[in-house]
Amino acid sequence: DARVTQTPRHKVTEMGQEVTMRCQPILGHNTVFWYRQTMMQGLELLAYFRNRAPLDDSGMPKDRFSAEMPDATLATLKIQPSEPRDSAVYFCASGSADKNTGELFFGEGSRLTVL
Amino acid sequence: SQQGEEDPQALSIQEGENATMNCSYKTSINNLQWYRQNSGRGLVHLILIRSNEREKHSGRLRVTLDTSKKSSSLLITASRAADTASYFCATGANSKLTFGKGITLSVRP
């Protein structure tokens, strides 16, 4: 049963600490998306990749956030330094698309709390 | 910023009734998708409708798309308590998928 795997599921950290979230997309998928979900803002697109190349990270605060795909089986989202306003659920999703984005498969999310 | 906006924000119905949810968007799209999210879980894809399609069915789901009005609707027929969840429309354009804030559907047994 293919699924997107995210780690950690829950993370509590203190302001100023580095946080790294990991995502294993479904094997064979060539697009990977990172979303952040909060009650106030809903689902915000942070960054996305196609064939491991970053296509758009305009939704991401560049001074503290970075997203990478070291290889086809791993995507990472790093926050350094973290701040309380970063508290949210971060979702990774993967899909298969050449030009247009089709169905996305979501992981269960990483719930981040920054104290 | 959100591309799609769902309406209503919350909907409460009795089991067996139909639920209709609406979505409006602002710019041109390649496709429009609907997703469901159960509490504490990730989003699950329900149905995709392309910009050149007007209506699509999948089981108890019916989706319509009106590109002239930039709007879509999702109809769930014969609702069940298990349909209780948040529903999101998402618009696909330029390789990315942008979500609305969602509709909370409660189905009372």
Side-chain angles (χ1 to χ4, degrees), chain B residues 36-64:
Chain B
R36 184 188 72 224
Q37 184 181 33
N38 290 93
S39 182
R41 306 296 300 273
L43 280 77
V44 175
H45 181 266
L46 294 175
I47 195 165
L48 179 153
I49 186 165
R50 302 188 193 287
S51 59
N52 61 354
E53 297 175 313
R54 293 296 167 258
E55 187 170 313
K56 203 161 182 181
H57 297 255
S58 176
R60 294 185 296 114
L61 305 180
R62 172 177 166 252
V63 170
T64 61

PDB file of all heavy atoms in Angstrom, chain B residues 36-64:
ATOM      1  N   ARG B  36     -10.831  15.581   0.893  1.00  0.00           N
ATOM      2  CA  ARG B  36     -11.437  15.438   2.216  1.00  0.00           C
ATOM      3  C   ARG B  36     -10.339  15.289   3.252  1.00  0.00           C
ATOM      4  O   ARG B  36      -9.301  14.673   2.985  1.00  0.00           O
ATOM      5  CB  ARG B  36     -12.350  14.208   2.262  1.00  0.00           C
ATOM      6  CG  ARG B  36     -13.106  14.039   3.570  1.00  0.00           C
ATOM      7  CD  ARG B  36     -13.841  12.709   3.630  1.00  0.00           C
ATOM      8  NE  ARG B  36     -12.918  11.599   3.806  1.00  0.00           N
ATOM      9  CZ  ARG B  36     -12.994  10.460   3.143  1.00  0.00           C
ATOM     10  NH1 ARG B  36     -13.942  10.270   2.251  1.00  0.00           N
ATOM     11  NH2 ARG B  36     -12.129   9.509   3.377  1.00  0.00           N
ATOM     12  N   GLN B  37     -10.563  15.858   4.422  1.00  0.00           N
ATOM     13  CA  GLN B  37      -9.620  15.704   5.527  1.00  0.00           C
ATOM     14  C   GLN B  37     -10.379  15.339   6.789  1.00  0.00           C
ATOM     15  O   GLN B  37     -11.214  16.116   7.269  1.00  0.00           O
ATOM     16  CB  GLN B  37      -8.818  16.997   5.757  1.00  0.00           C
ATOM     17  CG  GLN B  37      -7.745  16.849   6.836  1.00  0.00           C
ATOM     18  CD  GLN B  37      -6.968  18.139   7.062  1.00  0.00           C
ATOM     19  OE1 GLN B  37      -7.499  19.237   6.933  1.00  0.00           O
ATOM     20  NE2 GLN B  37      -5.675  17.998   7.415  1.00  0.00           N
ATOM     21  N   ASN B  38     -10.099  14.173   7.308  1.00  0.00           N
ATOM     22  CA  ASN B  38     -10.632  13.787   8.610  1.00  0.00           C
ATOM     23  C   ASN B  38      -9.750  14.397   9.692  1.00  0.00           C
ATOM     24  O   ASN B  38      -8.570  14.652   9.479  1.00  0.00           O
ATOM     25  CB  ASN B  38     -10.677  12.263   8.734  1.00  0.00           C
ATOM     26  CG  ASN B  38     -11.740  11.668   7.842  1.00  0.00           C
ATOM     27  OD1 ASN B  38     -11.478  11.274   6.710  1.00  0.00           O
ATOM     28  ND2 ASN B  38     -12.966  11.624   8.338  1.00  0.00           N
ATOM     29  N   SER B  39     -10.327  14.602  10.841  1.00  0.00           N
ATOM     30  CA  SER B  39      -9.636  15.279  11.937  1.00  0.00           C
ATOM     31  C   SER B  39      -8.307  14.621  12.259  1.00  0.00           C
ATOM     32  O   SER B  39      -8.238  13.407  12.477  1.00  0.00           O
ATOM     33  CB  SER B  39     -10.535  15.285  13.169  1.00  0.00           C
ATOM     34  OG  SER B  39      -9.917  15.971  14.223  1.00  0.00           O
ATOM     35  N   GLY B  40      -7.238  15.407  12.242  1.00  0.00           N
ATOM     36  CA  GLY B  40      -5.919  14.906  12.597  1.00  0.00           C
ATOM     37  C   GLY B  40      -5.230  14.085  11.521  1.00  0.00           C
ATOM     38  O   GLY B  40      -4.187  13.477  11.790  1.00  0.00           O
ATOM     39  N   ARG B  41      -5.793  14.067  10.320  1.00  0.00           N
ATOM     40  CA  ARG B  41      -5.216  13.240   9.249  1.00  0.00           C
ATOM     41  C   ARG B  41      -4.805  14.097   8.073  1.00  0.00           C
ATOM     42  O   ARG B  41      -5.038  15.303   8.017  1.00  0.00           O
ATOM     43  CB  ARG B  41      -6.260  12.215   8.784  1.00  0.00           C
ATOM     44  CG  ARG B  41      -6.870  11.352   9.886  1.00  0.00           C
ATOM     45  CD  ARG B  41      -5.839  10.459  10.555  1.00  0.00           C
ATOM     46  NE  ARG B  41      -5.195   9.547   9.659  1.00  0.00           N
ATOM     47  CZ  ARG B  41      -5.665   8.340   9.336  1.00  0.00           C
ATOM     48  NH1 ARG B  41      -6.826   7.934   9.818  1.00  0.00           N
ATOM     49  NH2 ARG B  41      -4.986   7.550   8.524  1.00  0.00           N
ATOM     50  N   GLY B  42      -4.169  13.459   7.104  1.00  0.00           N
ATOM     51  CA  GLY B  42      -3.825  14.148   5.870  1.00  0.00           C
ATOM     52  C   GLY B  42      -5.023  14.249   4.938  1.00  0.00           C
ATOM     53  O   GLY B  42      -6.081  13.682   5.193  1.00  0.00           O
ATOM     54  N   LEU B  43      -4.857  15.004   3.858  1.00  0.00           N
ATOM     55  CA  LEU B  43      -5.934  15.168   2.898  1.00  0.00           C
ATOM     56  C   LEU B  43      -5.993  13.963   1.964  1.00  0.00           C
ATOM     57  O   LEU B  43      -4.963  13.387   1.618  1.00  0.00           O
ATOM     58  CB  LEU B  43      -5.723  16.435   2.069  1.00  0.00           C
ATOM     59  CG  LEU B  43      -6.134  17.743   2.737  1.00  0.00           C
ATOM     60  CD1 LEU B  43      -5.102  18.183   3.757  1.00  0.00           C
ATOM     61  CD2 LEU B  43      -6.348  18.832   1.703  1.00  0.00           C
ATOM     62  N   VAL B  44      -7.208  13.642   1.560  1.00  0.00           N
ATOM     63  CA  VAL B  44      -7.423  12.524   0.648  1.00  0.00           C
ATOM     64  C   VAL B  44      -8.149  13.036  -0.582  1.00  0.00           C
ATOM     65  O   VAL B  44      -9.167  13.730  -0.464  1.00  0.00           O
ATOM     66  CB  VAL B  44      -8.245  11.409   1.336  1.00  0.00           C
ATOM     67  CG1 VAL B  44      -8.580  10.303   0.332  1.00  0.00           C
ATOM     68  CG2 VAL B  44      -7.483  10.837   2.516  1.00  0.00           C
ATOM     69  N   HIS B  45      -7.617  12.711  -1.745  1.00  0.00           N
ATOM     70  CA  HIS B  45      -8.209  13.151  -3.002  1.00  0.00           C
ATOM     71  C   HIS B  45      -9.553  12.470  -3.229  1.00  0.00           C
ATOM     72  O   HIS B  45      -9.694  11.257  -3.026  1.00  0.00           O
ATOM     73  CB  HIS B  45      -7.255  12.805  -4.148  1.00  0.00           C
ATOM     74  CG  HIS B  45      -7.738  13.225  -5.492  1.00  0.00           C
ATOM     75  ND1 HIS B  45      -8.433  12.380  -6.332  1.00  0.00           N
ATOM     76  CD2 HIS B  45      -7.646  14.402  -6.143  1.00  0.00           C
ATOM     77  CE1 HIS B  45      -8.718  13.012  -7.443  1.00  0.00           C
ATOM     78  NE2 HIS B  45      -8.255  14.249  -7.365  1.00  0.00           N
ATOM     79  N   LEU B  46     -10.556  13.269  -3.643  1.00  0.00           N
ATOM     80  CA  LEU B  46     -11.877  12.723  -3.936  1.00  0.00           C
ATOM     81  C   LEU B  46     -12.143  12.646  -5.434  1.00  0.00           C
ATOM     82  O   LEU B  46     -12.530  11.606  -5.959  1.00  0.00           O
ATOM     83  CB  LEU B  46     -12.964  13.579  -3.285  1.00  0.00           C
ATOM     84  CG  LEU B  46     -12.999  13.601  -1.758  1.00  0.00           C
ATOM     85  CD1 LEU B  46     -14.064  14.586  -1.283  1.00  0.00           C
ATOM     86  CD2 LEU B  46     -13.244  12.212  -1.202  1.00  0.00           C
ATOM     87  N   ILE B  47     -11.935  13.770  -6.117  1.00  0.00           N
ATOM     88  CA  ILE B  47     -12.335  13.824  -7.517  1.00  0.00           C
ATOM     89  C   ILE B  47     -11.642  14.995  -8.191  1.00  0.00           C
ATOM     90  O   ILE B  47     -11.348  16.014  -7.557  1.00  0.00           O
ATOM     91  CB  ILE B  47     -13.876  13.932  -7.621  1.00  0.00           C
ATOM     92  CG1 ILE B  47     -14.373  13.617  -9.033  1.00  0.00           C
ATOM     93  CG2 ILE B  47     -14.386  15.276  -7.115  1.00  0.00           C
ATOM     94  CD1 ILE B  47     -15.872  13.365  -9.093  1.00  0.00           C
ATOM     95  N   LEU B  48     -11.340  14.846  -9.475  1.00  0.00           N
ATOM     96  CA  LEU B  48     -10.717  15.891 -10.282  1.00  0.00           C
ATOM     97  C   LEU B  48     -11.586  16.158 -11.498  1.00  0.00           C
ATOM     98  O   LEU B  48     -12.073  15.213 -12.137  1.00  0.00           O
ATOM     99  CB  LEU B  48      -9.313  15.431 -10.725  1.00  0.00           C
ATOM    100  CG  LEU B  48      -8.469  16.370 -11.607  1.00  0.00           C
ATOM    101  CD1 LEU B  48      -6.979  16.070 -11.375  1.00  0.00           C
ATOM    102  CD2 LEU B  48      -8.788  16.252 -13.089  1.00  0.00           C
ATOM    103  N   ILE B  49     -11.801  17.420 -11.801  1.00  0.00           N
ATOM    104  CA  ILE B  49     -12.549  17.792 -13.002  1.00  0.00           C
ATOM    105  C   ILE B  49     -11.678  18.747 -13.809  1.00  0.00           C
ATOM    106  O   ILE B  49     -11.101  19.698 -13.269  1.00  0.00           O
ATOM    107  CB  ILE B  49     -13.932  18.400 -12.646  1.00  0.00           C
ATOM    108  CG1 ILE B  49     -14.759  18.639 -13.917  1.00  0.00           C
ATOM    109  CG2 ILE B  49     -13.816  19.664 -11.811  1.00  0.00           C
ATOM    110  CD1 ILE B  49     -16.234  18.887 -13.647  1.00  0.00           C
ATOM    111  N   ARG B  50     -11.541  18.468 -15.098  1.00  0.00           N
ATOM    112  CA  ARG B  50     -10.696  19.281 -15.949  1.00  0.00           C
ATOM    113  C   ARG B  50     -11.456  20.517 -16.423  1.00  0.00           C
ATOM    114  O   ARG B  50     -12.686  20.546 -16.430  1.00  0.00           O
ATOM    115  CB  ARG B  50     -10.201  18.469 -17.145  1.00  0.00           C
ATOM    116  CG  ARG B  50      -9.435  17.244 -16.719  1.00  0.00           C
ATOM    117  CD  ARG B  50      -8.755  16.511 -17.853  1.00  0.00           C
ATOM    118  NE  ARG B  50      -8.294  15.213 -17.426  1.00  0.00           N
ATOM    119  CZ  ARG B  50      -7.258  14.997 -16.637  1.00  0.00           C
ATOM    120  NH1 ARG B  50      -6.545  16.019 -16.209  1.00  0.00           N
ATOM    121  NH2 ARG B  50      -6.906  13.781 -16.283  1.00  0.00           N
ATOM    122  N   SER B  51     -10.714  21.495 -16.872  1.00  0.00           N
ATOM    123  CA  SER B  51     -11.337  22.775 -17.232  1.00  0.00           C
ATOM    124  C   SER B  51     -12.279  22.646 -18.422  1.00  0.00           C
ATOM    125  O   SER B  51     -13.160  23.488 -18.605  1.00  0.00           O
ATOM    126  CB  SER B  51     -10.264  23.825 -17.522  1.00  0.00           C
ATOM    127  OG  SER B  51      -9.423  23.392 -18.580  1.00  0.00           O
ATOM    128  N   ASN B  52     -12.131  21.588 -19.233  1.00  0.00           N
ATOM    129  CA  ASN B  52     -13.023  21.414 -20.378  1.00  0.00           C
ATOM    130  C   ASN B  52     -14.188  20.459 -20.063  1.00  0.00           C
ATOM    131  O   ASN B  52     -14.941  20.087 -20.960  1.00  0.00           O
ATOM    132  CB  ASN B  52     -12.251  20.897 -21.598  1.00  0.00           C
ATOM    133  CG  ASN B  52     -11.598  19.554 -21.349  1.00  0.00           C
ATOM    134  OD1 ASN B  52     -11.621  19.045 -20.235  1.00  0.00           O
ATOM    135  ND2 ASN B  52     -11.007  18.981 -22.380  1.00  0.00           N
ATOM    136  N   GLU B  53     -14.320  20.090 -18.805  1.00  0.00           N
ATOM    137  CA  GLU B  53     -15.437  19.243 -18.372  1.00  0.00           C
ATOM    138  C   GLU B  53     -16.441  20.074 -17.595  1.00  0.00           C
ATOM    139  O   GLU B  53     -16.069  21.050 -16.928  1.00  0.00           O
ATOM    140  CB  GLU B  53     -14.934  18.080 -17.510  1.00  0.00           C
ATOM    141  CG  GLU B  53     -14.005  17.135 -18.268  1.00  0.00           C
ATOM    142  CD  GLU B  53     -13.422  16.061 -17.371  1.00  0.00           C
ATOM    143  OE1 GLU B  53     -12.937  16.388 -16.259  1.00  0.00           O
ATOM    144  OE2 GLU B  53     -13.445  14.884 -17.784  1.00  0.00           O
ATOM    145  N   ARG B  54     -17.683  19.661 -17.604  1.00  0.00           N
ATOM    146  CA  ARG B  54     -18.732  20.409 -16.894  1.00  0.00           C
ATOM    147  C   ARG B  54     -19.279  19.649 -15.690  1.00  0.00           C
ATOM    148  O   ARG B  54     -19.740  20.262 -14.723  1.00  0.00           O
ATOM    149  CB  ARG B  54     -19.878  20.735 -17.859  1.00  0.00           C
ATOM    150  CG  ARG B  54     -19.479  21.719 -18.933  1.00  0.00           C
ATOM    151  CD  ARG B  54     -19.128  23.077 -18.323  1.00  0.00           C
ATOM    152  NE  ARG B  54     -18.460  23.930 -19.282  1.00  0.00           N
ATOM    153  CZ  ARG B  54     -17.138  24.126 -19.277  1.00  0.00           C
ATOM    154  NH1 ARG B  54     -16.359  23.541 -18.385  1.00  0.00           N
ATOM    155  NH2 ARG B  54     -16.605  24.930 -20.161  1.00  0.00           N
ATOM    156  N   GLU B  55     -19.221  18.333 -15.766  1.00  0.00           N
ATOM    157  CA  GLU B  55     -19.775  17.544 -14.669  1.00  0.00           C
ATOM    158  C   GLU B  55     -19.047  16.211 -14.621  1.00  0.00           C
ATOM    159  O   GLU B  55     -18.642  15.663 -15.645  1.00  0.00           O
ATOM    160  CB  GLU B  55     -21.271  17.306 -14.922  1.00  0.00           C
ATOM    161  CG  GLU B  55     -22.008  16.646 -13.789  1.00  0.00           C
ATOM    162  CD  GLU B  55     -23.517  16.656 -14.003  1.00  0.00           C
ATOM    163  OE1 GLU B  55     -24.056  17.715 -14.364  1.00  0.00           O
ATOM    164  OE2 GLU B  55     -24.131  15.594 -13.823  1.00  0.00           O
ATOM    165  N   LYS B  56     -18.907  15.701 -13.388  1.00  0.00           N
ATOM    166  CA  LYS B  56     -18.251  14.419 -13.208  1.00  0.00           C
ATOM    167  C   LYS B  56     -18.860  13.712 -12.004  1.00  0.00           C
ATOM    168  O   LYS B  56     -19.269  14.363 -11.032  1.00  0.00           O
ATOM    169  CB  LYS B  56     -16.757  14.628 -12.988  1.00  0.00           C
ATOM    170  CG  LYS B  56     -15.918  13.427 -13.330  1.00  0.00           C
ATOM    171  CD  LYS B  56     -14.485  13.854 -13.540  1.00  0.00           C
ATOM    172  CE  LYS B  56     -13.630  12.654 -13.926  1.00  0.00           C
ATOM    173  NZ  LYS B  56     -12.234  13.030 -14.123  1.00  0.00           N
ATOM    174  N   HIS B  57     -18.938  12.394 -12.082  1.00  0.00           N
ATOM    175  CA  HIS B  57     -19.531  11.604 -11.006  1.00  0.00           C
ATOM    176  C   HIS B  57     -18.514  10.580 -10.520  1.00  0.00           C
ATOM    177  O   HIS B  57     -17.721  10.055 -11.291  1.00  0.00           O
ATOM    178  CB  HIS B  57     -20.767  10.861 -11.504  1.00  0.00           C
ATOM    179  CG  HIS B  57     -21.878  11.760 -11.948  1.00  0.00           C
ATOM    180  ND1 HIS B  57     -23.013  11.964 -11.196  1.00  0.00           N
ATOM    181  CD2 HIS B  57     -22.014  12.530 -13.044  1.00  0.00           C
ATOM    182  CE1 HIS B  57     -23.809  12.811 -11.842  1.00  0.00           C
ATOM    183  NE2 HIS B  57     -23.232  13.167 -12.962  1.00  0.00           N
ATOM    184  N   SER B  58     -18.593  10.295  -9.220  1.00  0.00           N
ATOM    185  CA  SER B  58     -17.801   9.212  -8.654  1.00  0.00           C
ATOM    186  C   SER B  58     -18.552   8.691  -7.443  1.00  0.00           C
ATOM    187  O   SER B  58     -18.578   9.334  -6.400  1.00  0.00           O
ATOM    188  CB  SER B  58     -16.416   9.700  -8.255  1.00  0.00           C
ATOM    189  OG  SER B  58     -15.675   8.666  -7.628  1.00  0.00           O
ATOM    190  N   GLY B  59     -19.205   7.551  -7.591  1.00  0.00           N
ATOM    191  CA  GLY B  59     -19.993   7.001  -6.485  1.00  0.00           C
ATOM    192  C   GLY B  59     -21.080   7.974  -6.062  1.00  0.00           C
ATOM    193  O   GLY B  59     -21.913   8.392  -6.872  1.00  0.00           O
ATOM    194  N   ARG B  60     -21.076   8.383  -4.790  1.00  0.00           N
ATOM    195  CA  ARG B  60     -22.076   9.326  -4.290  1.00  0.00           C
ATOM    196  C   ARG B  60     -21.679  10.786  -4.496  1.00  0.00           C
ATOM    197  O   ARG B  60     -22.370  11.690  -4.023  1.00  0.00           O
ATOM    198  CB  ARG B  60     -22.290   9.066  -2.791  1.00  0.00           C
ATOM    199  CG  ARG B  60     -22.928   7.715  -2.480  1.00  0.00           C
ATOM    200  CD  ARG B  60     -23.222   7.555  -0.973  1.00  0.00           C
ATOM    201  NE  ARG B  60     -22.010   7.556  -0.177  1.00  0.00           N
ATOM    202  CZ  ARG B  60     -21.693   8.505   0.704  1.00  0.00           C
ATOM    203  NH1 ARG B  60     -22.500   9.540   0.901  1.00  0.00           N
ATOM    204  NH2 ARG B  60     -20.578   8.433   1.393  1.00  0.00           N
ATOM    205  N   LEU B  61     -20.583  11.013  -5.179  1.00  0.00           N
ATOM    206  CA  LEU B  61     -20.106  12.365  -5.409  1.00  0.00           C
ATOM    207  C   LEU B  61     -20.458  12.842  -6.813  1.00  0.00           C
ATOM    208  O   LEU B  61     -20.368  12.087  -7.778  1.00  0.00           O
ATOM    209  CB  LEU B  61     -18.579  12.424  -5.256  1.00  0.00           C
ATOM    210  CG  LEU B  61     -17.980  11.931  -3.958  1.00  0.00           C
ATOM    211  CD1 LEU B  61     -16.467  12.080  -3.994  1.00  0.00           C
ATOM    212  CD2 LEU B  61     -18.551  12.666  -2.767  1.00  0.00           C
ATOM    213  N   ARG B  62     -20.874  14.118  -6.882  1.00  0.00           N
ATOM    214  CA  ARG B  62     -21.093  14.743  -8.180  1.00  0.00           C
ATOM    215  C   ARG B  62     -20.448  16.120  -8.134  1.00  0.00           C
ATOM    216  O   ARG B  62     -20.725  16.907  -7.236  1.00  0.00           O
ATOM    217  CB  ARG B  62     -22.590  14.870  -8.467  1.00  0.00           C
ATOM    218  CG  ARG B  62     -22.916  15.692  -9.714  1.00  0.00           C
ATOM    219  CD  ARG B  62     -24.415  15.710  -9.975  1.00  0.00           C
ATOM    220  NE  ARG B  62     -24.754  16.752 -10.954  1.00  0.00           N
ATOM    221  CZ  ARG B  62     -25.381  17.890 -10.657  1.00  0.00           C
ATOM    222  NH1 ARG B  62     -25.766  18.134  -9.420  1.00  0.00           N
ATOM    223  NH2 ARG B  62     -25.642  18.766 -11.605  1.00  0.00           N
ATOM    224  N   VAL B  63     -19.601  16.390  -9.096  1.00  0.00           N
ATOM    225  CA  VAL B  63     -18.913  17.672  -9.158  1.00  0.00           C
ATOM    226  C   VAL B  63     -19.314  18.384 -10.440  1.00  0.00           C
ATOM    227  O   VAL B  63     -19.395  17.755 -11.500  1.00  0.00           O
ATOM    228  CB  VAL B  63     -17.382  17.481  -9.127  1.00  0.00           C
ATOM    229  CG1 VAL B  63     -16.673  18.789  -9.443  1.00  0.00           C
ATOM    230  CG2 VAL B  63     -16.936  16.987  -7.781  1.00  0.00           C
ATOM    231  N   THR B  64     -19.560  19.671 -10.329  1.00  0.00           N
ATOM    232  CA  THR B  64     -19.803  20.483 -11.518  1.00  0.00           C
ATOM    233  C   THR B  64     -18.767  21.597 -11.576  1.00  0.00           C
ATOM    234  O   THR B  64     -18.208  21.997 -10.542  1.00  0.00           O
ATOM    235  CB  THR B  64     -21.207  21.104 -11.500  1.00  0.00           C
ATOM    236  OG1 THR B  64     -21.319  21.965 -10.358  1.00  0.00           O
ATOM    237  CG2 THR B  64     -22.279  20.026 -11.439  1.00  0.00           C
TER     238      THR B  64
END
